[in-house]
Amino acid sequence: LQYGAGVTEDFAQAVDEILGLLRAQGRRVTTQRRAILDALLAHDHPTVEVLSAAAPDVEGSTIYRFLDDLEDLGVIDHTHLGHGPAVYHLVADPHHHLACEACGAVIEIPAAELAALRDRVREHYGFVLSPRHFALPGRCVGCG
Ligand SMILES: [Zn+2]
Ligand SMILES: [Zn+2]
Ligand SMILES: [Zn+2]
């Protein structure tokens, strides 16, 4: 499965691929789930609130259940960019986040940028970092 970087061009294809994966795994595919998936792919790092606004006919509990399903399947995962609610993004798009504590700007960096640090920490401390789960806080260039 290849979605992520080119997801905006291949939007319909990405939706179809994920729906196909759900069906192959014996998960239900409903109109509501399709609406959530459309909203998920149409927004950059949406919160549940954003998804809910984009799919107003779908109940919040349905959205949470579907997001859990997609996380179980390894299609999406969530991250915390700051003090606010979790946001969702595609697993197939490996990146980390830098979050400006002053203005809230979020900069995506390739996952490979932290690979050396990850290896060193594992080697020296026996600890495996999961830097994608939380943004690294700091200051953007504009906030100095
Ligand atoms: Zn979390
Ligand atoms: Zn992300
Ligand atoms: Zn800033």
Side-chain angles (χ1 to χ4, degrees):
L1 285 168
Q2 282 299 326
Y3 30 80
V7 85
T8 43
E9 302 93 81
D10 303 323
F11 184 92
Q13 193 193 333
V15 171
D16 285 346
E17 279 183 21
I18 295 169
L19 292 175
L21 178 69
L22 284 163
R23 287 194 192 95
Q25 298 289 324
R27 316 276 172 134
R28 287 181 313 124
V29 173
T30 61
T31 312
Q32 294 200 330
R33 289 188 153 204
R34 183 182 269 276
I36 301 165
L37 194 54
D38 280 345
L40 187 68
L41 293 176
H43 293 83
D44 185 33
H45 293 96
T47 60
V48 168
E49 197 183 353
V50 166
L51 296 176
S52 183
D57 297 336
V58 184
E59 273 186 56
S61 58
T62 303
I63 296 178
Y64 278 109
R65 258 200 314 277
F66 186 43
L67 292 174
D68 280 350
D69 259 8
L70 291 174
E71 286 208 49
D72 279 352
L73 290 171
V75 172
I76 61 169
D77 61 2
H78 72 267
T79 188
H80 309 272
L81 299 177
H83 297 291
V87 301
Y88 294 84
H89 54 186
L90 294 171
V91 167
D93 181 12
H95 59 270
H96 300 308
H97 314 84
L98 311 177
C100 178
E101 291 176 293
C103 71
V106 174
I107 298 161
E108 289 181 27
I109 61 171
E113 294 283 6
L114 295 183
L117 174 66
R118 239 185 118 127
D119 289 349
R120 275 171 55 117
V121 168
R122 184 171 47 215
E123 193 177 314
H124 291 278
Y125 304 96
F127 187 86
V128 180
L129 292 172
S130 308
R132 181 166 154 111
H133 194 183
F134 293 93
L136 292 170
R139 295 248 165 183
C140 77
V141 66
C143 295

